Amino acid sequence: MTIFSNFLRSLLLTIIFSFVAPIFLVGGGLLLLPLIGYFPGLQELTEAIATQIMHFLATFGSGTPLRGLFVISFTCSFVGALFDMYVYYRCQILRINS
């Protein structure tokens, strides 16, 4: 029973971290761009990059960048969960064969 509870704990942590990672990555990038824009000559560049990121997120979110960020985060979470289940399965197969 402890193996199953360890699996569920691992799966839950993987889902949470896989969901939060894209949010921190994109959010951190969008928060960092205005700070970089304070350097002379980089304001237009950082505004253009931020606009392109928002358009990219809006593409996945049916016109809403926040919804697009959640769609990408849910997808990463799903892929992370699949990968964690594969690793658990592979670990069980290797444990039986050795």
Side-chain angles (χ1 to χ4, degrees), residues 11-37:
L11 186 63
L12 182 66
L13 286 173
T14 301
I15 289 171
I16 290 171
F17 286 136
S18 297
F19 179 80
V20 172
I23 293 175
F24 281 154
L25 183 68
V26 173
L30 287 175
L31 286 175
L32 196 66
L33 282 173
L35 296 176
I36 296 172

Side-chain angles (χ1 to χ4, degrees), residues 21-68:
I23 293 175
F24 281 154
L25 183 68
V26 173
L30 287 175
L31 286 175
L32 196 66
L33 282 173
L35 296 176
I36 296 172
Y38 282 119
F39 290 111
L42 293 178
Q43 184 174 7
E44 293 84 18
L45 178 66
T46 57
E47 287 177 2
I49 291 171
T51 303
Q52 291 299 319
I53 291 172
M54 294 303 247
H55 286 302
F56 176 77
L57 292 175
T59 301
F60 287 102
S62 301
T64 308
L66 185 62
R67 186 179 295 163

Side-chain angles (χ1 to χ4, degrees), residues 11 14-15 18 72-86:
L11 186 63
T14 301
I15 289 171
S18 297
I72 291 172
S73 294
F74 280 125
T75 305
C76 287
S77 178
F78 180 69
V79 170
L82 287 176
F83 182 71
D84 191 52
M85 286 188 281
Y86 169 73

